[in-house]
Amino acid sequence: MRADGHAPGQPDEQDAGELLRRCAQDVLDVAEGIRAVSARTGAALLDPGLTGSAHRRPRTALAARWALLRALTGGRGLGRPALTLPKSPARLPGRAGLPAWVAVTALRLRVAAVLAGHPEFARDPGMRRLTDALAADRAPAAVRSLRALFRDPGAQRALSGLIPLMAELVAVRRLLEGNPRTGDGAGWALVPGPPDGQPSAGPMPPVEARDGGEAAADAVDLTEQERQTIATEGSFLGFLSNIKALSADGRILVQNVRGPDGVVRYVVQAPGTSPGRPRDDGPRDFADAWHDLFATDSPHTRSIRLALADYGIPRGADLALIGHGEGGTALLNLARDPDFCRAYRVTHVITVGSPAGGRRTADPRTWVAAITDQHDMVPVPDGPDAGPAPDPHPNRYELHYPGPAGPFPLRHTVRDYIEHLRSVVPQARGTVDDALTPYRGPVVRTRAYRLRNRAHPPEGHPFLTLPTASVPTATGPVDVPVRYYDSSAAHLCYLVDAEAAQGLLPAGTRTVPSRLGGRALAVLSLYEHRCSTIGPHTEVALTVPVADLWRPRPYDIAADLLRRADLRRTGRHVLSLAVSSEEARSVAREIWGQPATLSSAVADLMGHHLRFATMEIGLVVAGRLGPGVRCPEADWVLYGRRDESTVRTLVRAHGAPRLHAGARVRMRLDTAAAEPMAGQLRRLGVDAARPLFVLHNPRFTAHRSAGAVLPR
């Protein structure tokens, strides 16, 4: 295969990603074959017949055992520990063996296939950590790095986004940890223990048994704004719109619908994981995402069962299950459960953006619809249950349509699927609506449930578990304080002319820049928010530290930094701000009083080499950080303007910032850069200057309070 991903002699337009995927599957099959040979060799080595023959024919039997042992454990053989049993493989530290080394090669190929079709996925933190682990010089070192990655609780959040690599991650983890295959053919035993019911020795926590008490479902009230958006008539798009309204925090919705025949039926609507949003303490975590693909029982499905029991659906009632993404997978697993289908008559299961594959429902009368966008990487046909069924059931409707191209994960959102069903594939909407005719009637009761896994604390606990309040904005209600669960930041600090800084501050106010030796300070802040309550986005802000609004004094910012952030009188006034999402823009303008504009950006702020580029502004920041020293947490007070008042916002952060005085990071502005930020940077004279220092925080959590209005 050539370096560009094309096979020799093949036309250049051949899909490189598909070739790499096929190669990865072939290599993974080889790894499985080697593992089987390793297990058989270990079984033969410890076979009682061979062991007993050592006493009867020591010359030949010992030679045979020595040959088996050398083939099993030798560096040129299988490289396995000596005590490899067929069903309970023993593991020695650092001895993964040839099967795992070959599986790592398959994973490398699969990563290359994903990046060939979606280069933007390289910016995902999970992909970064995975590629770093795979970039080890030798196969044993890569295996050790992968083992550490799977055991690291801090990596769970980042790895949970690697759904396109789910099948390879499953197989590689099994080969690394030695988990046996389940006896029912449903897939790999990812989280549960071996078939005898004993817990697995692997690093992933075991999922509780079906009657375990970790799953929970709490009934919650809808806000007034949500009540206005919830559909009052049963329809396919209406149910998907309900899922969109509740997708931010993962609540499910249960509704009674009176059909055209007057019979009351029940509809369960479940959202998937929202990209870049916290999962709280819900059951949709990393382990369950894996488990839901291969088994019918998990905390996610048990939580839905508890919600239906609390709702009071009578046994034998007609039930339709409609879900998006991981929620659709969990609902399909419920429909595959014979016990669940004996309790309720599941008439319909409809999923969008879910890897339905060829899995069968327990009741053959259930009508199943699976609608996926070809550019959506979540429902890619991977894994042991992937692909359409060899003999499709007449009650099954599958549509894999070519929607508009776009980056992942934007093509996975339920909002995009709703738009596509309106404009790209309206025939699919009509087909599903026809099938849902018994549910096309008025909604007579609605109840929302928040699913929980009591074994897991809320994400960000304890720093980000604090009281919140809902504030309406143009893009919908927002909980404040806004919480940032996984972010990176770099603050470039410049000495600038004090008069130039004063000229950019609001006129007619007593806002003056804090002075350091007769000069002022300007801070260019770059943010990469990978997970927050307002979704993933990038942010670039130009701020000037300002003095006390009522009693400005020289050097007061230096003394103020010794105080707690909530007691500070100084802060940083936001001159201009650019964010990459409409929700973040609305929050900045309406809640914090900051002059935000929309601008997409490419950010990589986690390593020692920083890069941040936004084409709309014409701003590029790149360079390598020099030596740094650890410094205290960077809590700040930010000031903005709303009408004739100043808005004060408190920002509290928790991370490990470092101060780099000799950084080689430089900023570059295009000649045709847009206002206002580019013009302000030029007027401050920092467009070609070297920063005085760089404050770098590669990974931190933070929360920003609602803006307090000051009469200034």
Side-chain angles (χ1 to χ4, degrees), residues 417-437:
Y417 275 102
I418 292 174
E419 180 60 33
H420 295 170
L421 288 166
R422 286 193 176 114
S423 57
V424 180
V425 284
Q427 71 279 6
R429 180 189 63 193
T431 300
V432 175
D433 270 332
D434 290 343
L436 285 175
T437 297

Side-chain angles (χ1 to χ4, degrees), residues 498-515:
E499 297 300 324
Q502 181 67 66
L504 296 177
L505 292 172
T509 66
R510 297 188 61 182
T511 306
V512 297
S514 292
R515 296 177 181 260

Side-chain angles (χ1 to χ4, degrees), residues 362-377:
D363 187 346
R365 298 170 298 174
T366 302
W367 191 83
V368 179
I371 300 173
T372 58
D373 181 0
Q374 291 179 6
H375 296 98
D376 182 359
M377 298 175 68

